[in-house]
Amino acid sequence: MELFGDGGGVGGMGLIYRYVNEADHAQVVSIVLFAAVLSLCIVVGHLLHENKWVNESITAIIIGGVSGVVVLFLSKGTNSHILRFNEDLFFYYLLPPIIFNAGFQVKKKQFFRNFSTIMLFGVPGVFISTVIITIGSMWLFPKIGFNGLETQDFLAIGVIFSSTDTVCTLQVLDQDETPLLYSLVFGEGVVNDATSVVLFKAIQKIDVSRITGWASVNVIKDFLFLFSTSTALGVVVGLLTSYALRTLYFGRHSTDRECAIMFLMPYLSYMLAELLHLSGILTVFFCGIVMSHYAWHNVTENSRVTTRHTFATMSFIAEAFIFLYCGMDASDVEKWKISNKSFKTCISMYSIIILLIAVGRAAFVFPLSVLSNYMNKSDERVSITFKHQVVIWWAGLMRGAVSIALAFKQFTYSGVTMIPAHATMVTNTVFTVLFTTVVFGFLTKPLIRLLLPHHTSGNHHPDNTIPSHDMTLPLLSFDESASTNILRAKDSISMLLERPVYTIHSYWRKFDDKYMRPMFGGPRR
């Protein structure tokens, strides 16, 4: 209190201002250093782009780890971070461009053609994996002497380690040579992340003191509500954006306005979903799909080029930022000191987590692939071979940004925790992400080249593979007689039973051409 005594109020305020200025200066220096390291990461990743073993994710993690060690040495063992992680930074600023770009760049024909299989892997698969990891960790962790977690923590662990990161595999797969496999890996990765976040929110609402048989029913009910409403919100915002761009024609004045609308509306949909306690990931993903299908065709050519490259660039920088920070966090001495676990216990926990991830992944990939093949048995072009199943299983073994963010959200407050068990789980999550990304990522290219030799993947077929007789399936018409419509309905039902996915897709394309595109934009087929 002496700062304000003896008529020294002005001096006291001066000390406060100086403290604030020093803090601001330190923050600016941190941002400059992190931007420099991030730029270095991008340059090195470019130079190693053709390397057989290394990809950009691994490069970012390694550079982040080296940077963390350097900072730790310069700070004399007190700190390893240039910037402090905040889960809000991830969920509000880094995740939206990544997910939106995934929806905006997705090959919609392949995605929706394999939609049933993608949803099988991305929704029931996450539930199966979560149950296995949760039960396995509750059973095995106490056996190695690790205690201190509550039931809700174990449920969160199941979700955290069920969230996949397929970036390493997608960087190796060729979208033109293996369209089916690429679509399944890409689609499952995005739906998996969205499902994990929605399920994580649903689990946080559980009252662990009153867990009954109805608790699981309530979780599923909350999940379905969040999933459906979030998807609907994304579609509505995407359609509104498309309609506005088509009717108002911003490009006649300036392409800047078109680009501004294309940038702001997806972010508005994400934040609106978070405000309504829905899933921003699902909302912005489907908003991206709708906008690429309609809105993108309503803007000028300059706006198309600008938006596509800008979205891709923002997504790339956000992913590099996350992996770079993950490498730095591996050398966080504070969490290691608070954790205070022996080397043997840590290795045992890492082994258990990775084993549970592999088992939980296999428990749904192979059975659900068989189920998918049975559902699509009338069309051999969408059958998933055993080699493809192995690639899909392998692609989901790696963990990434969403796992890190969920772990920080569950076990820390603004990246800081003083509870030993929670600190242990954060370090375990970071190590698991590092190990699976680096080790499994190193082996991804050789494995895929072994399983899928160049130009022999067997799934290379034209994009437009819907048979012509499917596209001639009629919509019911009020201008025809009742008997004619009944015959059409019988033909449609028979085709629906024989080839459900392609029949639904063909009907959607006819409806889209006749009603949706004239209103919301896009070239008619």
Side-chain angles (χ1 to χ4, degrees), residues 148-164:
L149 296 178
E150 300 177 354
T151 303
Q152 196 169 48
D153 293 329
F154 283 110
L155 292 171
I157 289 172
V159 178
I160 289 168
F161 292 112
S162 294
S163 175
T164 64

Side-chain angles (χ1 to χ4, degrees), residues 2-56:
E2 293 180 356
L3 290 175
F4 302 97
D6 299 329
V10 176
M13 290 301 294
L15 290 175
I16 293 175
Y17 287 137
R18 188 174 66 180
Y19 174 79
V20 171
N21 289 333
E22 289 177 355
D24 290 341
H25 178 73
Q27 187 175 10
V28 171
V29 171
S30 299
I31 294 174
V32 170
L33 290 175
F34 197 91
V37 176
L38 186 59
S39 301
L40 175 64
C41 175
I42 294 173
V43 172
V44 174
H46 171 72
L47 295 176
L48 299 176
H49 181 70
E50 299 297 330
N51 189 277
K52 179 180 179 181
W53 302 94
V54 180
N55 55 51
E56 290 167 343

